[in-house]
């Protein structure tokens, strides 16, 4: 739970106060910790694409939103990222558990897992992959928020493995 | 729109936004330009994140694309959201191709099934005026299903850039 607590502390330190989420088995602990935070309003989604819309509304109202989803959900969200976030220049932190990448047991996750970095590059969406530690998280989030762009942090399941 | 005063208005892409712009442009209108389906989600985000009432103008084609949104809205239950669905049974902006609300699908039933208690149908102007006046005064989530004829008036594109729409809107609504 150490990494999860560190991530929550970073979100609190940088005043993220509105989060949208869908369950993923790899990030259950992180999700549960966030739901206990009184200063962060968490909204459960029915689909990731809807979350982009909700976060846009929240941002326009003055909140600092983020998403916590599974990376496969990014595949459901590309048009919303392009036609809402990029078009209106709205920054959004998307934390995504990176599926189809590390010791993945579900074969259906593999195709998108392999293609995802290339797709994000093609769309010029900044992203980082965190494998063993989260040292790069803070600076990445700070810079990209200022740039007013959607930005993605792919969290490898390796981060949450019990050591 | 004639009943709107200080409320936030979010409108669906294409003809609905163009019409509202030409009828009653105001800084508290947020015009969507793409991402069909997400007007109700943007409206929900706004309603949950600040206190002003939010009026969402959605369409049947748009809402059909994002039906899950009704479940999220119902369960989050913001008391400052009025969801108005202009149902002309077709995709107006792309040439009036029929949507499934011309067939078997009833969006009021979907909204009720998702858990939205206050759902109303308006079939003419009098009914619409009455519902809108009533719900603007109340603090409860509601869903107003308006049956309208196809064929939108043709208006020019909105002469504002996305950034202009965003900045003007953000500077005008009270935050928090």
């Amino acid at each position: 739970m150490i990494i999860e607590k560190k991530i929550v502390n970073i979100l609190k330190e940088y005043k993220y106060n509105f989060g949208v989420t869908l369950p993923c088995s790899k990030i259950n602990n992180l999700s549960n910790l966030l739901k206990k935070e009184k200063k962060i309003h968490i909204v459960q989604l029915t689909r990731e694409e809807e979350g982009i819309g909700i976060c846009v509304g929240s941002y326009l109202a003055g909140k600092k939103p983020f998403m916590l989803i599974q990376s496969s959900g990014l595949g459901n969200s590309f048009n919303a990222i392009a036609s809402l976030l990029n078009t209106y220049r709205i920054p959004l932190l998307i934390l995504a558990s990176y599926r189809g990448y590390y010791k993945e047991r579900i074969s259906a996750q593999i195709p998108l897992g392999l293609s995802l970095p290339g797709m994000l590059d093609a769309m010029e969406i900044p992203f980082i992959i965190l494998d063993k530690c989260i040292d790069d998280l803070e600076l990445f989030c700070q810079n990209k928020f200022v740039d007013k762009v959607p930005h993605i942090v792919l969290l490898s399941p390796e981060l949450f493995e019990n050591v | 729109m004639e009943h709107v005063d200080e409320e936030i208005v979010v409108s669906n892409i294409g003809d609905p936004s163009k019409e509202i712009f030409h009828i009653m442009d105001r800084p508290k209108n947020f015009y969507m330009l793409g991402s069909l389906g997400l007007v109700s989600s943007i409206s929900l985000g706004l309603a949950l994140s600040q206190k002003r009432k939010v009026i969402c103008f959605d369409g049947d084609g748009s809402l059909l694309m994002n039906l899950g949104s009704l479940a999220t809205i119902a369960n989050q239950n913001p008391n400052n959201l009025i969801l108005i669905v202009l149902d002309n049974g077709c995709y107006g902006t792309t040439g009036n191709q029929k949507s499934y609300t011309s067939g078997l699908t009833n969006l009021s039933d979907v909204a009720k099934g998702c858990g939205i208690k206050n759902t109303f149908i308006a079939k003419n102007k009098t009914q619409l005026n009455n519902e809108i006046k009533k719900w603007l005064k109340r603090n409860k989530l509601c869903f107003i299903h308006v049956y309208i004829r196809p064929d939108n008036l043709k208006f020019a594109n909105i002469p504002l850039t996305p950034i202009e729409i965003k900045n003007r809107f953000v500077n005008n609504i009270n935050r928090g």
Side-chain angles (χ1 to χ4, degrees), chain A residues 6-66:
Chain A
K6 279 189 183 174
I7 295 175
V8 172
N9 285 338
I10 290 174
L11 289 172
K12 283 162 67 173
E13 189 185 334
Y14 290 94
K15 311 238 186 297
Y16 287 90
N17 49 21
F18 189 95
V20 298
T21 183
L22 264 171
C24 170
S25 52
K26 307 291 180 192
I27 45 171
N28 263 340
N29 290 333
L30 179 52
S31 181
N32 288 337
L33 279 177
L34 279 168
K35 284 175 187 166
K36 292 180 187 160
E37 289 296 325
K38 290 186 181 152
K39 290 192 179 167
I40 302 181
H41 185 168
I42 298 287
V43 173
Q44 182 162 300
L45 306 171
T46 57
R47 193 162 169 83
E48 295 86 353
E49 185 199 18
E50 134 184 74
I52 307 270
I54 296 173
C55 287
V56 164
S58 183
Y59 175 82
L60 293 172
K63 297 278 186 184
K64 192 168 177 184
F66 65 96

Side-chain angles (χ1 to χ4, degrees), chain B residues 58-65 85-90 99 101 107:
Chain B
D58 208 339
D60 50 292
S62 160
L63 188 50
L64 282 170
M65 261 206 191
V85 180
L86 301 170
D87 189 348
N88 60 3
C90 67
S99 82
T101 63
L107 289 171

Side-chain angles (χ1 to χ4, degrees), chain B residues 106-159:
Chain B
N106 184 319
L107 289 171
S108 291
D109 289 346
V110 178
K112 275 191 210 128
C114 285
I116 299 180
K117 291 192 191 120
N118 303 315
T119 65
F120 302 95
I121 295 179
K123 289 185 181 160
N124 55 53
K125 272 191 200 168
T126 311
Q127 286 177 358
L128 178 59
N129 276 329
N130 289 341
E131 290 303 332
I132 288 182
K133 274 195 273 192
K134 189 166 72 179
W135 289 100
L136 280 174
K137 289 187 199 150
R138 292 193 187 170
N139 292 322
K140 293 242 185 227
L141 170 66
C142 75
F143 179 94
I144 303 176
H145 187 179
V146 189
Y147 284 104
I148 58 175
R149 285 193 311 270
D151 283 326
N152 303 38
L153 296 171
K154 289 301 162 202
F155 286 112
N157 284 339
I158 296 169

Side-chain angles (χ1 to χ4, degrees), chain B residues 1-2 10 12 20 24 26 31 42 46-47 49 56 58 69 74 78 94-95 98 112 122 149 167 175:
Chain B
M1 285 299 284
E2 65 194 34
V10 192
N12 188 22
I20 290 178
M24 193 166 160
R26 51 202 272 288
Y31 304 112
I42 296 174
L46 278 163
S49 305
C56 169
D58 208 339
S69 172
T94 53
K98 283 193 178 168
K112 275 191 210 128
R149 285 193 311 270
N167 287 343
R175 293 180 178 216

